[in-house]
Amino acid sequence: MKAHVSSILLGVRDMDRAKQFYTEGLGWKIKNDYGISVFFESDGASPVGFYGREGLADQVGADPEGSGFSGLVLTYVVRSEARVEEIMAEAHKAGATILKPAGALPWGGYGGTFADPDGYIWSLGYSARGTDQPYAE
């Protein structure tokens, strides 16, 4: 198995709320809306999609009522501290819960963390160390 993610699927409790958060709040563009699932334009990266939480849990044989920290964090690496600040502001305005405000990170970078309306954690980051970062933009 290769170190590659073909797509990222998030189980959401309210499809309309999730679509509004990501499209109106963060500016994502919908590629396909199948009613029970939605996929966004990927700009060449791993595609991100939503399914209803119960349906996705059933599909993979899991309990839809999982709680607490799942151990999953989605990272988004940008090219400046200013862009980290901009995205954090966009997310907050769209209704995200700010878990850690943007600031200096223990390993020398700069970043912040927010949770979307379904509790999925996004970690934004910037580092001046190296030029081979997995940049999202």
Side-chain angles (χ1 to χ4, degrees):
M1 185 172 174
K2 295 180 181 179
H4 176 85
V5 176
S6 297
S7 66
I8 299 165
L9 303 175
L10 304 176
V12 298
R13 295 190 191 284
D14 182 329
M15 186 69 72
D16 291 334
R17 179 187 68 184
K19 284 193 294 189
Q20 182 178 9
F21 177 82
Y22 283 96
T23 58
E24 295 175 23
L26 298 183
W28 291 17
K29 293 180 178 32
I30 293 174
K31 180 177 182 179
N32 300 102
D33 187 340
Y34 300 108
I36 64 166
S37 64
V38 173
F39 289 87
F40 295 92
E41 295 289 342
S42 67
D43 295 323
S46 297
V48 177
F50 299 147
Y51 275 79
R53 186 174 177 93
E54 290 186 14
L56 184 58
D58 183 59
Q59 183 176 323
V60 301
D63 180 357
E65 295 306 317
S67 64
F69 178 58
S70 70
L72 172 71
V73 174
L74 304 165
T75 62
Y76 196 82
V77 180
V78 296
R79 298 176 190 270
S80 72
E81 292 180 9
R83 187 62 182 136
V84 170
E85 295 282 355
E86 289 170 2
I87 296 170
M88 291 292 291
E90 290 172 5
H92 183 259
K93 183 178 177 183
T97 301
I98 303 302
L99 301 176
K100 285 202 169 188
L105 298 172
W107 50 267
Y110 186 86
T113 308
F114 69 84
D116 78 0
D118 282 283
Y120 292 106
I121 298 171
W122 286 88
S123 176
L124 304 177
Y126 162 74
S127 174
R129 298 181 186 185
T131 57
D132 63 344
Q133 303 293 316
Y135 293 113
E137 59 176 65

